[in-house]
Amino acid sequence: METKYIFVTGGVVSSLGKGIISASLANLLKTRGYRVTIQKYDPYINIDPGTLNPYEHGECYVTVDGHEADLDLGHYERFTDIRTTRANNVTTGRIYQSVIDKERRGDYLGKTVQIIPHITDEIKRNIMLLGKTGNYDYIITEIGGTVGDIESLPFLEAVRQLRWELGRDSLSIHLTYVPYLAAAKELKTKPTQHSVKELQQLGIQPDILVLRTEHEVPLAMRRKIAQFCNVSPEAVIQSIDRPSIYQVPVMLHEQHLDEIVLLKTGVTPVDQPHMGPWLDFLEKMDSAEKVVNIGLVGKYVELQDAYKSISESLFHAATYNDRKLNLVYIHSEKLTTDNVDATLHDLDGVIIAPGFGQRGIDGKFVALKWCRENDIPTFGICLGMQCMVIEFARNVLGLQAANSTEMNPSTPDNVIDLMEDQKSVSNMGGTMRLGAYDCNLTPGSKAACAYGTTTVSERHRHRFEFNNEYRARFEDAGMKCVGQNPDTHLVEVVEIPGKRWFIGTQYHPEYSSTVLSPNPLFIDFVRAAIAYGEERDTRK
Ligand code: GLN
């Protein structure tokens, strides 16, 4: 079949969950047997979110091919098991960069280079790229931002043109908000009407409306919206708040969203989606009664999106271990030797978060010393693993001033040091060690047992690494390097075999955990945390 293009826009307010709706629709189409992918267009000037502080747009996600991407790509992967790449996330910055490069090369043959047609053509060319591979039946394109923003205008103009050119092979889904006014005890449809008018003024008639709401939108109200907005009544879908984002595909399917999408793109639905494994996961989620308490020590705890992939991976792992997840965010800047015991002693397991720079680092060392000495299941990720190494160097090897050269370039014991090929790097954007690399695990190590294999591939995002000159001293003292890159011998995983579960990974296993294919290291960590919690409780 011809590739079909589905455009997802949002109106009224931001943060309505376009990413979750797009991922849920992709999930449904995939379980119906269609070949699907999702791409996100972000209207900001940054080339990618790699240089953005997590306070801006939350976590920076990393694709297997080493692209620093919007966190929505994480949702896409977790909901669909699709592996996204650089082509699935494009920003205004990338569009402009490529147009300006062409202009400098003289490709425009002396013409004035303008937003229309040159920027819009470049957007269209990019949107169609994945379709040209012939690998997909449906390509869902999420346009970031909110309709009415100045910066999303060129994207919406490109969508308008594509809809005209593609005809029935394209579809527009618009997500809006239906607020509930508590004082009037009423749901209000006017913002939705205005937002659709705004979209229509830009020449885009939505085919499907998804109404984000905290209360049930009555049928009569949905009909009224349909009438005002030129949308067929069955295509006004409500997206009512659910306890878990993973229930959204089911909620949309119950309102026939997937079927409507097929019919409106000229495809006859022949079967129902095969949602069995997904429903099994939800069933496990609902039936879990006991709780596992995990602490996450990091410096961005005010904004939980900063650790999105970690919290989702823990949620997957808790669910498969028949537990509800109680994730406690612990501010590393506030953790001291005076309060560490009170803060951590009720937890079943502790994660030391990734990060950059000095801020909050001392709290991570305090947490790690306490966890190591009290033998609590502990999982260090990227900077968290580097902190494990530094803490061990200081307090076990007696190298008091050991550090990463990221924190102290003149440390006498640079147990974590800049990678050789990073020393000449001056640009910050896209220059880290990024994307998936192979790792060989030592047979019999806890990490290898967790994965059930000795060769894995996981994604990276860092500049610094374990300094192999210190390796023998660490191993002699009990911290083993049990994972290494087969080509470069960079240390990827450290563990203390004598402890219940004390593992640090230089890579980010959280990027590869999905609902149907949870990451084995997280599963094993949560299993160890549960076992420890039960053991501690019986001792009480
Ligand atoms: N700041 C560290 C480095 O660059 C760790 C990065 C991270 O945690 N993602 O190596």
Side-chain angles (χ1 to χ4, degrees):
M1 73 187 231
E2 284 292 318
T3 304
K4 316 282 185 193
Y5 292 85
I6 301 172
F7 299 103
V8 180
T9 52
V12 184
V13 287
S14 57
S15 305
L16 287 179
K18 285 195 299 278
I20 303 293
I21 297 293
S22 303
S24 299
L25 175 59
N27 169 301
L28 293 171
L29 293 171
K30 194 176 171 210
T31 50
R32 279 179 176 273
Y34 296 102
R35 301 168 307 156
V36 188
T37 193
I38 323 179
Q39 48 187 3
K40 169 115 194 241
Y41 279 69
D42 276 311
Y44 50 70
I45 310 285
N46 304 63
I47 298 288
D48 59 47
T51 54
L52 288 171
N53 187 311
Y55 289 123
E56 296 287 313
H57 297 277
E59 155 191 291
C60 175
Y61 190 71
V62 179
T63 59
V64 274
D65 65 337
H67 178 63
E68 297 177 283
D70 184 79
L71 60 68
D72 272 330
L73 272 76
H75 290 309
Y76 303 165
E77 296 204 6
R78 289 188 284 272
F79 274 69
T80 63
D81 282 289
I82 293 165
R83 287 286 169 256
T84 58
T85 66
R86 178 175 305 276
N88 295 73
N89 189 199
V90 176
T91 65
T92 293
R94 253 180 66 201
I95 298 287
Y96 270 80
Q97 190 176 51
S98 126
V99 167
I100 291 167
D101 285 349
K102 285 183 190 169
E103 186 274 338
R104 292 290 82 183
R105 279 203 308 266
D107 291 3
Y108 295 113
L109 305 174
K111 288 266 181 241
T112 308
V113 181
Q114 297 184 293
I115 292 183
I116 298 170
H118 302 102
I119 294 295
T120 46
D121 279 353
E122 185 62 20
I123 294 172
K124 285 165 69 183
R125 190 182 70 77
N126 275 275
I127 288 179
M128 304 293 285
L129 271 182
L130 285 170
K132 294 238 156 53
T133 61
N135 292 339
Y136 301 106
D137 301 318
Y138 281 95
I139 296 183
I140 300 173
T141 305
E142 179 191 342
I143 307 291
T146 307
V147 168
D149 295 346
I150 291 175
E151 52 185 19
S152 51
L153 282 174
F155 291 100
L156 295 172
E157 169 59 13
V159 170
R160 182 194 69 77
Q161 293 180 21
L162 283 171
R163 293 230 47 207
W164 176 249
E165 288 161 24
L166 292 163
R168 247 195 134 177
D169 288 334
S170 78
L171 194 72
S172 156
I173 300 180
H174 189 54
L175 180 61
T176 74
Y177 182 51
V178 179
Y180 179 77
L181 294 189
K185 294 198 177 57
E186 262 187 290
L187 283 162
K188 290 292 180 190
T189 65
K190 198 73 82 186
T192 294
Q193 294 178 42
H194 281 300
S195 173
V196 172
K197 287 252 147 55
E198 183 107 38
L199 198 58
Q200 287 167 337
Q201 270 171 23
L202 298 170
I204 300 172
Q205 169 60 50
D207 302 285
I208 296 173
L209 292 179
V210 178
L211 313 175
R212 180 72 194 272
T213 172
E214 281 129 56
H215 298 266
E216 173 87 23
V217 182
L219 190 62
M221 193 173 268
R222 276 181 269 158
R223 291 224 155 110
K224 179 174 130 189
I225 293 173
Q227 198 170 37
F228 274 115
C229 300
N230 299 342
V231 175
S232 45
E234 78 283 0
V236 180
I237 309 271
Q238 60 173 335
S239 172
I240 198 157
D241 284 2
R242 308 296 308 166
S244 162
I245 52 172
Y246 298 123
Q247 292 162 328
V248 174
V250 180
M251 173 179 70
L252 296 178
H253 174 63
E254 282 164 0
Q255 298 175 76
H256 310 289
L257 177 68
D258 43 331
E259 207 178 312
I260 294 168
V261 164
L262 294 183
L263 289 169
K264 285 189 185 290
T265 49
V267 178
T268 312
V270 281
D271 207 354
Q272 285 297 316
H274 301 289
M275 297 175 75
W278 193 268
L279 295 176
D280 291 345
F281 177 82
L282 296 185
E283 166 70 33
K284 264 187 161 314
M285 188 178 91
D286 287 340
S287 54
E289 280 170 6
K290 292 190 189 160
V291 175
V292 59
N293 302 293
I294 305 290
L296 185 123
V297 180
K299 64 177 168 178
Y300 298 115
V301 290
E302 309 89 338
L303 181 85
Q304 298 181 1
D305 268 1
Y307 301 114
K308 196 73 197 159
S309 292
I310 294 179
S311 63
E312 293 306 313
S313 302
L314 283 169
F315 182 75
H316 305 154
T319 303
Y320 281 106
N321 277 297
D322 300 309
R323 288 293 187 283
K324 284 198 188 312
L325 173 67
N326 174 32
L327 182 54
V328 184
Y329 292 89
I330 298 159
H331 203 311
S332 52
E333 277 184 297
K334 298 194 179 138
L335 208 53
T336 62
T337 42
D338 293 335
N339 63 23
V340 64
D341 188 72
T343 314
L344 303 185
H345 81 274
D346 276 341
L347 296 169
D348 306 326
V350 174
I351 294 219
I352 310 295
F356 294 84
Q358 174 69 37
R359 186 168 73 85
I361 201 95
D362 291 330
K364 289 186 174 172
F365 296 137
V366 168
L368 280 163
K369 181 166 190 287
W370 189 91
C371 289
R372 186 175 51 74
E373 290 176 349
N374 290 282
D375 198 3
I376 311 298
T378 310
F379 192 176
I381 300 179
C382 208
L383 179 63
M385 169 270 197
Q386 298 175 353
C387 289
M388 272 182 166
V389 169
I390 297 165
E391 189 279 325
F392 193 88
R394 289 181 185 175
N395 299 322
V396 179
L397 301 184
L399 307 172
Q400 306 289 331
N403 216 332
S404 162
T405 46
E406 178 181 8
M407 313 306 160
N408 176 10
S410 52
T411 170
D413 288 299
N414 52 342
V415 291
I416 302 293
D417 201 2
L418 203 55
M419 276 181 262
E420 206 44 51
D421 57 1
Q422 286 287 335
K423 291 189 175 153
S424 58
V425 166
S426 56
N427 262 355
M428 296 313 269
T431 53
M432 280 185 259
R433 182 180 183 215
L434 289 165
Y437 285 88
D438 288 341
C439 166
N440 289 348
L441 298 168
T442 308
S445 63
K446 276 204 169 64
C449 295
Y451 278 104
T453 171
T454 52
T455 48
V456 296
S457 169
E458 296 278 15
R459 300 177 214 182
H460 292 249
R461 183 174 186 248
H462 60 107
R463 289 183 205 285
F464 295 81
E465 52 152 330
F466 182 92
N467 183 347
N468 266 322
E469 283 173 24
Y470 287 86
R471 186 168 177 157
R473 288 162 80 179
F474 276 86
E475 303 219 307
D476 289 347
M479 182 177 266
K480 306 285 182 199
C481 301
V482 297
Q484 66 172 18
N485 182 288
D487 308 314
T488 57
H489 306 293
L490 291 177
V491 172
E492 306 279 25
V493 187
V494 295
E495 72 180 43
I496 304 182
K499 299 285 175 195
R500 285 193 174 84
W501 206 101
F502 200 90
I503 300 182
T505 59
Q506 183 59 80
Y507 54 73
H508 292 260
E510 71 273 22
Y511 292 141
S512 67
S513 187
T514 72
V515 167
L516 297 184
S517 180
N519 184 281
L521 218 43
F522 277 90
I523 296 269
D524 202 58
F525 167 65
V526 170
R527 190 184 296 137
I530 293 168
Y532 164 70
E534 286 177 348
E535 186 189 318
R536 183 197 49 204
D537 290 348
T538 50
R539 255 188 284 140
K540 270 183 187 167

